Amino acid sequence: MKPKSVYVAFDTYPAPKGAAVHIREFAQTLFAHTGSGLLLVLGEEGLPAWQIEGTTQIRRLVSDEQNYLKRAMQFGDFVQTHAEMLKNDVKIAHFRDPWGGMPLLSVENRAYKTVYEVNALPSIELPARYPAVTTRTCERIRELERRCWQQADHIVCPSQIIKNCLIELGADAGKITVIRNGAQPVDLAQISRPPDAPAQYLLYQGAVQSWQGIEVLFKAMTFLRDMPELKLVMCASGSKPRLKYLQKLAIRLNIDSQVIWHLKVPQTTVMQWLVGATISLAPLVECSRNLVQGCCPLKIVESMATGTPVIASDLPVVRELLEHGKTGWLVRPDRPSELARAIRILLAHPEQRASIGASAREKFSAELTWQISTRALTTIYQAL
Amino acid sequence: MENCNMKRGFFFLRDCDHPAHQSCCTCGKAFCNDHLRIKPGSNEPVCLDCLGKTMQQSPQNKANTASRDRYNDDYYYDDVWCYGYRHNYYSSYRPWYVGHTSDLQGSHFGENDIRVFEPSAEIDDMDAEAPDPEANVFDS
């Protein structure tokens, strides 16, 4: 059976990170709407190149290309091949980046409508990862992004900041819908603390890119050395060099005895650590990725779902989710001493932690479940 | 009896718990019938993983094989469009990123763009840039 929709992501799937959860929720919503679907993603060792799961198929690009841009172009060829072949059968093509979007939009006489899901702009994020990227290269990537938001039939993004950014860059405000990231409701009675969990611990969960603020968090931990029993659990995923660097940094900062690493653990395990945590942390850095481009951190939404109080950087993208003192605790970004002070305050006031956690969970149930987000997405598909 | 060696599941991948029926002619592992197809031109069983990888092999790598015509006959798997993938890949390959004149034969990006995306240029690999823990660079 030929698929009636295609969801395209230049991302490894599945993977222990927020993007994979987002892909799962949105792709399943798309495939349920059209009755069948094809997911085109990146492969990795141990992931089959081709999976058939009922009416859903997953095709993964198998590539040992190490250069990011070359791999992106390989992925584009991979997507274009499928798009050309299925152009008369697919009703909706949903993509997350220009690497998948450009080939989908380049197909002539296509029968499908397109949705561009903008969670991030490579032209903004890539220079943080590859510092040698020139302005000219960024402009070329921006040109692809521009074509995607100009030609896509609809655009969805997870925060008002991203929407504002796109409008500022020239996108048509009328075809942009904000659909926030969500999480699944959590039955706390069904999730137990990990058996090896310390009595009291802070939790960082998620990816470890430079904009996540892990360095700030580690620096904050140096101000808490007088509480050796307090542990920081890192449920982290990321590139090997980056993780290795962070582990070395913890040693250099002399906090390695306080840090417990759990690398690339499954989401179910992360939820166990989250439920048992005293405080969850989102120390996002004040940088163009977080300030100009925007984001909707899943780690915050998932913490709200479990009622675990969050200390996060006071940035506009965070204020879209958390209100200081009510549903979260906000601190100025990039200030380790202030982050450490906030941790001390909440550790000293369990009643305040409980109140913040309960209010956050209430807000989550009313506004931030995946069910609410995917219903909004279905409405967009129906209107295409 | 050995179980199928394929993974299944949309998000939580798990081992397929079906009993294996035959071995894949490419990787030699055993799989159930759900995860086997017939290899084009040989009538041998091949697993979905190997088949998916084969379909992605570049036309350049396959240029010296006589199999291209063979794949153009009426052979198909249980999904006709799967065959189409291979046919299409071989017959209509062209870069989608055309748009700017560059030194990459019409590519949107040139060598200078591509060079900076080598793994060695990635900031994550940054022992050399590790911040000095005594410098307190993060606090203003």
Side-chain angles (χ1 to χ4, degrees), chain A residues 92-370:
Chain A
I92 301 172
H94 182 132
F95 59 94
R96 286 169 60 95
D97 44 67
W99 316 122
M102 281 305 298
L104 287 170
L105 293 165
S106 72
V107 173
E108 292 174 0
N109 303 317
R110 60 183 184 270
Y112 53 80
K113 298 285 187 180
T114 51
V115 175
Y116 182 14
E117 178 193 333
V118 186
N119 298 289
L121 293 173
S123 61
I124 290 178
E125 286 200 348
L126 286 174
R129 188 171 156 192
Y130 296 95
V133 171
T134 63
T135 306
R136 189 173 175 195
T137 300
C138 279
E139 282 170 0
R140 286 178 169 179
I141 297 172
R142 173 61 51 80
E143 171 58 24
L144 298 183
E145 293 164 352
R146 186 177 294 113
R147 284 194 233 168
C148 286
W149 68 60
Q150 282 173 345
Q151 294 175 33
D153 295 293
H154 204 88
I155 300 167
V156 296
C157 62
S159 90
Q160 187 63 40
I161 303 295
I162 299 181
K163 179 174 179 177
N164 295 345
C165 173
L166 291 172
I167 294 168
E168 182 79 17
L169 291 169
D172 175 2
K175 66 178 183 183
I176 307 175
T177 304
V178 174
I179 300 179
R180 295 198 199 294
N181 282 344
Q184 295 295 354
V186 176
D187 182 353
L188 295 176
Q190 298 298 315
I191 302 180
S192 52
R193 282 166 60 93
D196 54 340
Q200 194 171 52
Y201 62 92
L202 314 170
L203 178 73
Y204 177 86
Q205 57 119 340
V208 294
Q209 302 96 327
S210 56
W211 56 75
Q212 303 283 4
I214 314 289
E215 287 91 340
V216 179
L217 173 55
F218 281 7
K219 192 77 181 170
M221 290 302 292
T222 66
F223 293 96
L224 301 169
R225 286 201 195 102
D226 59 313
M227 295 189 282
E229 74 289 352
L230 179 66
K231 303 297 180 189
L232 169 63
V233 173
M234 296 286 298
C235 288
S237 65
S239 68
K240 279 183 188 170
R242 174 70 176 162
L243 288 167
K244 192 176 160 193
Y245 155 72
L246 289 172
Q247 287 171 325
K248 279 186 188 173
L249 181 62
I251 294 169
R252 289 179 64 183
L253 291 171
N254 197 23
I255 58 164
D256 51 313
S257 62
Q258 290 171 270
V259 181
I260 300 170
W261 293 91
H262 290 277
L263 303 181
K264 299 192 175 185
V265 290
Q267 185 66 11
T268 47
T269 308
V270 173
M271 291 309 280
Q272 287 183 306
W273 283 105
L274 193 49
V275 164
T278 310
I279 297 168
S280 173
L281 298 157
L284 293 161
V285 169
E286 191 171 26
C287 62
S288 61
R289 186 266 179 185
N290 294 333
L291 277 178
V292 179
Q293 172 199 275
C295 57
C296 185
L298 266 177
K299 61 174 68 63
I300 293 179
V301 180
E302 288 171 349
S303 301
M304 295 171 78
T306 60
T308 307
V310 187
I311 297 176
S313 296
D314 188 6
L315 296 169
V317 286
V318 174
R319 287 199 293 274
E320 285 187 49
L321 299 169
L322 300 175
E323 186 180 342
H324 178 66
K326 191 177 176 191
T327 50
W329 196 270
L330 306 187
V331 296
R332 286 198 297 170
D334 308 332
R335 268 90 170 169
S337 57
E338 292 192 21
L339 177 56
R341 197 175 308 125
I343 291 169
R344 280 186 196 279
I345 289 169
L346 283 194
L347 285 176
H349 294 91
E351 72 295 337
Q352 193 153 19
R353 290 202 310 269
S355 164
I356 287 173
S359 300
R361 193 161 146 84
E362 207 171 290
K363 179 181 167 75
F364 162 78
S365 300
E367 301 174 24
L368 292 165
T369 64
W370 277 124

Side-chain angles (χ1 to χ4, degrees), chain A residues 1 13 49 51 53 60 62 67 76 80 82 85 128-129 137 140 219 242 245 248 252-253 334-336, chain B residues 9-10 49 56 79 81-82 84-85 94 96 108 113-114 117-118 122-123 126-127 130-131 133 138-139:
Chain A
M1 181 176 67
Y13 178 90
Q51 264 185 272
E53 302 289 336
R60 297 183 177 92
V62 179
N67 182 293
Q80 190 184 36
H82 285 88
M85 185 171 51
R129 188 171 156 192
T137 300
R140 286 178 169 179
K219 192 77 181 170
R242 174 70 176 162
Y245 155 72
K248 279 186 188 173
R252 289 179 64 183
L253 291 171
D334 308 332
R335 268 90 170 169
Chain B
F10 187 70
D49 183 32
Q56 289 177 36
D79 290 308
W81 67 277
C82 299
Y85 175 88
R94 65 186 170 82
W96 52 271
H108 186 79
D113 299 311
I114 288 172
F117 289 104
E118 290 296 333
E122 193 172 353
I123 199 166
M126 59 180 191
D127 271 356
F138 301 109
D139 261 340

Side-chain angles (χ1 to χ4, degrees), chain B residues 70-85:
Chain B
R70 195 166 70 227
Y71 289 122
N72 281 347
D73 63 22
D74 62 353
Y75 185 86
Y76 60 93
Y77 314 116
D78 57 357
D79 290 308
V80 174
W81 67 277
C82 299
Y83 157 74
Y85 175 88

